[in-house]
Structure formats: structure tokens, C-alpha cells
Amino acid sequence: MQLLPRDPWPTHLPPAFFAALHADHAAAGDPPVPNAQTMAWRCLQALPDGVVLLDRELRVVAANPRAQPLLRPHLTPPSAAGLLWHEALDDLWLDTLLPWVSPALAHGEASRVAVQRGTGDDARHWQVTLLPDTTEGSVRGLFVLLRDETAQQRAAAHQADQEQALRQQLQQQDAHLLWQQTRWQALSDALRDAAIYFLDNDGAIHDWPASAERLLGYRADEVLGSRGPDAPDRPHPLPADAAQALERATLLGQSESTGWVRRADGSRLWAHSVYTALVGPGGEALGTACLVRDMTDVHRLEELLRELNAALERKVQERTRALQAAIDDLEAFASSVSHDLRAPLRHITSYVQLLREDLGEPLAPDVAEDLRTIDEAAVHMGRLIDGLLAFARLGRAALRVQPVDMLDLLRASLNRVQHDPALRRPADQCQLRLPDQLPTVQGDPLLLAQVWDNLLANAFKYTRPRTPAVIEVGGHVAHGHGAAPEAVFWVRDNSVGFDPARAERLFGMFQRLHRAQDFEGTGIGLALARRIVERHGGRIWADAQPDHGATFYFALPLAFTPPPAPDAPAVEATPA
């Protein structure tokens, strides 16, 4: 609490005022009730601020109605008379006044403190003054004065906010005007490959800045007040179609034109001119602003680009013809593989059978093993040919896109895989965990079925050493950051796994991570699955640890638009 430099309260009330109040109290009996007819009491009641009079023992002598905020909630000014100050005053006010009571009683020091109760819009601002009742140099009591300054504080704060807002607005306007002036000057001086100038309502040049003089070469005194267009007897910076461009700008607000413009020295530049009709606040016409950009280099580059595009188009046509020839050769090779290579394989298989019949039974163990090896090699070669043809045919065949229920597709694929003799296992040795539902996607059901076939066949094959084998299938819709939503599917198992550092090799042609004598296969299935998924605009990947199982994922867009079908016909494989 600090004494304020200005004191609106009297620093010392006349002793007669307190004497009159004390006289009234003594005449009224106990408890003291002031005589409402006395002038001192009427003055106390009429004061606009709260007043509480305490005697030397800090007992309430009198309080006016305005002092109600100082009192405890259950008390009124008449009922507070005669109570000790800690019984009459509210605890918050007691805490505020307590440090200053002793100096006031002992030394007659007056004090004042500003108090805020509450926060925000509910805040109340009070000024409390503690005055000693001094008579003939001795303190007879204390005078507690309470003034509600909430309205004044809010009015002052509102006025300060308005003044601050007004000052900020004026500063912003001054800064904006200065910035606009500086910007225009800097723009006019800094333009190099462009120029700006102004025409009056009649189309005559009335403002010719330094940028226009620098770009077009005309001095201001040569062109001010003149009109275009360019004429052989008198050069002029406006292009030949300036009159039509100004008419369009008057009707539409803005127009553009592109063409050659002659400089003062006779040279030409390819200019892009923008004409903007200027309108005042009252709708009055203020002329036209003309912005001219030197596009000569761009024009030359465009001509060069057109020549390069023509040459590139010729090269593309030549390369297309060469590529088509290569595709024709590839198709011929695929047809040869389909027809010509199968005949020797059939001969090998047939002669192995003839050898068995000629040698009779029983065969020597080494002979039987050699014949079995030849037979298996021929079968494996046939499977490789089938895989190659399927891989080549996939890149040429058109997609038949339609809504695909992936759960139905999964069940059909699982049924096919489980009926494969090489993959079939007893029910008690294999735990299948299938989802109740899977997202529906757009795609070719026949091709997507091959993806499920390959992934499920891998899971059954590589869990063969595990008892029981655990295979789990799932899927959900994923929403990437800024990307289109996609459906993600996975096949998880407790197989022998593989080194994750070599996972990318799995999806290459003829790439295998396990020995052929341990697990059969051609190394084409996952490559085929990858190509199918990528043709559907998706992606496929794998995650695994050696001896701790593997998980294969593939993601497909929910909304897929197939690419146009190839022009060349698809290559059909001949059944073995």
C-alpha cells in the first residue's frame, strides 16, 4: 500500500464532525444508534462513498449504507454498530487493512490502497482510505473510507483502448501510405524487362516513368501528350492494336495484346501489353495503366521449343516403330517358347517313360534316381515356361476392372491352395485365422486371385516345418497423409522366415532365398504378384525375421482407373 500523490479525501476531518457523532452515540444508549435527525448523521448517510467509524478499541461506532461491501454478508450497517472490527468487517478487507491499522493508531498515519476483486469482466475496483480521527494530537479512532472505482476504471481502460486503437490505426495508415509511395517509386525505378506508363481518358500518354524510358528508349518530352499507334513518319511506343485494346479495357476492365513493338532506336521487341482501366472511388474514369513486358527471349525460346518438339516427335515416331518391331519379335519369341520348347520337353518325358518300360522292374536304385531326376527337371522346365508366358502375357492383357469382394476372392483362393496335394496338411496341424470382412476394391478379379494364390501358397509351403502352422489373413482401409485412401491386405505366418535385408529380391524373376532341395518353386510367383499389384496402381512388400515367420503386404487404391489396353494382342500360352 502506498500513499497516492493526490488525495480526494480530506486529510483531516473537522473534530466537530466526530464529536457530533460521538455525542449522538452517547445519547442513544447501548448499542449506540445515531440520531437520524442530527446534521452529522445525515451527512454520513448521504455520502456517496462507504464510511465506517472505529473508536480507539477498533469497535464500530457507525457505518453508512455505502459501507455494506466492507461488512460481513450477514450484517447491515445498523447491526454492525458496537461490534469489534474483526467481527464486523469481511476477512478480505481485514487482510487488506491489518498492516496499516497500527501505524494509524500509533502515529496518526493515513493510508490508501487500491484493491481489485475478481478478474475479467467481473472485476471490481475499490479504493480504501484509512484516516485517523485525531483530536488535540491524540488518535481517538479510525475512519475507513470505501470508494467504488469500477466504472471509472472500466471507462478509463475503454478510453485507453480506444486511444491505442486509434493511434495504431493512424500509424498503420501512415505506414501504408508511405509504403505504397515507396513501393511505387521502387517498382518504377527497378523494372528492367518491363515498363509501366499511364494514358488519359483520350488515350494520350500523360505519365512516362523511368522504367518506360529505359525499356522503350523514348524520352518523356517526346511522348507525353501523344497518341498511338506507331506510324512510319513518327515512331510511337504504343503497338498497332492499341486502339482496340483500349476499347476492350474500357468495356471489360482489362485487356491484353501480344506483338512486336518498335523502340526509339528502330529495334523491335516482342511485347506482352496489359491495359487496365482505372476507376475512382466515385466511379469516374481515371485513364488507363499500361504494363509492357519484354518477352523477346521467351518468344525465341518458344520458337526453338516448337522446333525441338517437332524433332522430338519425329524421333518418338521412329522409336515407336522400332519398339513395335521389338514387341513383335518378343511375341514371336514367346510363341516359339510356347510351341517349340514344349515339344522337346514332351519327348524327354515320353522317352523317360519308355526307358522305364524297357528296363523293366525292378530298377536299380541309381537308375531309378536318375530317371526321376530327369522327369522332375522336365516338369520344372515346363513350370518355368508357364511362368514366363504368364508374366509376359500379364503386361499385355487388358484389365477387366470391376468391384471385387476380396473376402470371397480369399475364400476361393484358399480352397484352391488347400486342395493342392503338395500343400495339403491335416486340419489339426494348421491354424487358419481369417477375417470376418475385407475391404472391397476396384480391380480384375482373375488377376487379384493369382495374388492371393501366390501369397497363400507361400505361407503353406514355408510353414511346412512348423507344427502347428499358423496363418493369419487381414485387411483394413488406410488413410495416408494427403494421399488417396487405400486398402491394405496382409498374410502373416510362423514360417522359416528370411533375412529382411534381402526382402526386395523376393519380387524379382527367378529370385529365391531358400535352397531348391528344401522348398520347391520357380521364383516367378511373387514377381507375378508384384506385377499384378502394380498394374492395379498398388504396391507390395514383405517383412520377416529368420525362423520367426514372415508377413506379406499389398495395398490397392480404393478408386482405380485402369490404363488403356495395349494395341498389340495378348500372347496366349499353349497348355502343356
Side-chain angles (χ1 to χ4, degrees):
M1 183 186 300
Q2 294 180 350
L3 291 175
L4 301 181
R6 294 181 68 252
D7 188 357
W9 294 93
T11 57
H12 179 71
L13 292 175
F17 179 82
F18 299 102
L21 287 177
H22 283 295
D24 293 337
H25 303 161
D30 187 21
V33 179
N35 186 354
Q37 301 301 321
T38 65
M39 182 176 296
W41 179 248
R42 289 199 304 272
C43 178
L44 183 67
Q45 295 290 98
L47 285 177
D49 302 311
V51 180
V52 176
L53 178 62
L54 304 175
D55 61 14
R56 180 72 184 182
E57 287 74 24
L58 298 181
R59 189 178 301 276
V60 177
V61 177
N64 68 348
R66 296 287 185 175
Q68 182 65 49
L70 290 170
L71 304 178
R72 294 183 181 273
H74 67 280
L75 296 178
T76 61
S79 64
L83 299 177
L84 290 174
W85 78 309
H86 64 272
E87 298 174 341
L89 299 187
D90 188 83
D91 290 338
L92 294 176
W93 294 111
L94 288 174
D95 294 340
T96 302
L97 296 172
L98 185 59
W100 312 103
V101 171
S102 180
L105 291 175
H107 307 291
E109 296 181 2
S111 304
R112 179 176 305 135
V113 63
V115 179
Q116 177 179 329
R117 301 286 191 226
T119 58
D121 296 337
D122 298 330
R124 298 291 300 274
H125 299 271
W126 305 91
Q127 186 184 93
V128 184
T129 304
L130 191 64
L131 293 177
D133 177 11
T134 306
T135 303
E136 295 179 356
S138 64
V139 178
R140 299 177 54 194
L142 299 178
F143 217 35
V144 182
L145 309 176
L146 179 67
R147 174 170 293 174
D148 188 355
E149 293 189 337
T150 303
Q152 294 90 328
Q153 290 283 353
R154 291 178 179 175
H158 180 66
Q159 183 177 359
D161 292 342
Q162 286 184 327
E163 292 177 355
Q164 179 66 18
L166 182 59
R167 283 194 297 270
Q168 291 179 354
Q169 185 178 3
L170 292 176
Q171 291 173 358
Q172 291 174 357
Q173 289 179 351
D174 292 342
H176 183 67
L177 291 175
L178 179 61
W179 178 71
Q180 282 187 327
Q181 182 179 0
T182 305
R183 182 182 61 174
W184 165 246
Q185 187 65 35
L187 175 64
S188 178
D189 294 341
L191 289 175
R192 291 295 180 267
D193 295 332
I196 188 170
Y197 56 91
F198 297 90
L199 309 177
D200 60 19
N201 292 331
D202 296 328
I205 299 175
H206 76 89
D207 190 4
W208 190 255
S211 60
E213 182 174 345
R214 183 169 50 248
L215 180 66
L216 300 175
Y218 298 94
R219 300 192 310 274
D221 57 359
E222 294 177 335
V223 296
L224 286 176
S226 61
R227 295 181 178 86
D230 189 8
D233 55 341
R234 186 187 180 198
H236 195 276
L238 289 180
D241 61 348
Q244 294 83 357
L246 289 175
E247 290 181 3
R248 292 195 301 270
T250 302
L251 294 174
L252 305 176
Q254 190 177 82
S255 66
E256 300 180 17
S257 68
T258 304
W260 293 105
V261 173
R262 188 164 64 178
R263 293 190 177 96
D265 58 2
S267 62
R268 297 194 309 164
L269 62 88
W270 184 264
H272 175 239
S273 302
V274 179
Y275 302 87
T276 304
L278 304 178
V279 180
E284 66 278 10
L286 300 179
T288 306
C290 302
L291 175 64
V292 180
R293 293 183 60 195
D294 184 0
M295 306 292 288
T296 305
D297 293 340
V298 175
H299 183 63
R300 292 171 180 168
L301 288 176
E302 288 176 348
E303 291 182 345
L304 178 60
L305 184 61
R306 282 192 291 270
E307 295 175 358
L308 292 176
N309 284 338
L312 181 62
E313 182 65 26
R314 290 192 296 270
K315 282 189 176 183
V316 168
Q317 293 175 358
E318 294 173 0
R319 297 290 176 86
T320 301
R321 289 191 292 268
L323 180 61
Q324 185 61 46
I327 292 175
D328 294 340
D329 293 341
L330 180 61
E331 291 177 355
F333 172 74
S335 177
S336 174
V337 169
S338 176
H339 295 85
D340 300 338
L341 293 186
R342 290 184 186 278
L345 288 178
R346 286 194 294 271
H347 292 166
I348 291 173
T349 304
S350 299
Y351 276 96
V352 167
Q353 182 64 27
L354 290 176
L355 278 174
R356 285 195 179 96
E357 295 175 357
D358 293 343
L359 292 174
E361 296 290 345
L363 295 175
D366 54 347
V367 173
E369 179 65 20
D370 292 342
L371 293 177
R372 187 181 62 81
T373 302
I374 296 172
D375 200 8
E376 290 179 353
V379 172
H380 184 70
M381 184 63 184
R383 291 175 179 171
L384 288 176
I385 293 174
D386 290 340
L388 280 173
L389 292 177
F391 193 82
R393 181 171 65 250
L394 178 63
R396 302 294 298 165
L399 296 180
R400 296 174 176 86
V401 176
Q402 64 189 54
V404 179
D405 188 330
M406 294 296 274
L407 186 59
D408 290 345
L409 211 64
L410 168 66
R411 290 170 177 165
S413 178
L414 185 62
N415 183 61
R416 287 191 297 272
V417 172
Q418 288 180 318
H419 282 79
D420 187 338
L423 301 175
R424 186 183 301 121
R425 297 190 64 175
D428 59 344
Q429 297 182 10
C430 183
Q431 297 180 10
L432 290 176
R433 300 173 182 173
L434 303 180
D436 294 332
Q437 59 182 4
L438 286 176
T440 299
V441 300
Q442 297 285 329
D444 189 321
L446 295 179
L447 295 182
L448 293 178
Q450 296 183 47
V451 177
W452 284 117
D453 289 352
N454 283 291
L455 297 184
L456 291 173
N458 267 13
F460 276 90
K461 178 167 61 176
Y462 290 103
T463 56
R464 193 179 297 151
R466 303 292 191 235
T467 302
V470 180
I471 301 174
E472 180 183 359
V473 183
H476 66 276
V477 176
H479 297 272
H481 297 287
E486 59 182 6
V488 180
F489 307 92
W490 67 85
V491 178
R492 184 177 294 116
D493 57 54
N494 62 340
S495 63
V496 297
F498 54 85
D499 185 357
R502 306 169 64 190
E504 189 62 25
R505 290 183 54 190
L506 284 171
F507 301 99
M509 286 289 291
F510 307 117
Q511 296 293 324
R512 305 193 66 212
L513 303 185
H514 301 85
R515 297 184 307 171
Q517 55 266 37
D518 295 333
F519 298 98
E520 72 280 1
T522 62
I524 298 177
L526 290 180
L528 189 66
R530 179 179 186 174
R531 189 154 191 182
I532 292 173
V533 170
E534 290 179 348
R535 284 206 65 189
H536 283 77
R539 52 199 175 91
I540 187 170
W541 69 99
D543 184 22
Q545 291 294 333
D547 293 325
H548 288 82
T551 304
F552 284 82
Y553 302 88
F554 67 97
L556 300 173
L558 294 181
F560 171 65
T561 301
D567 295 332
V571 178
E572 294 296 338
T574 301

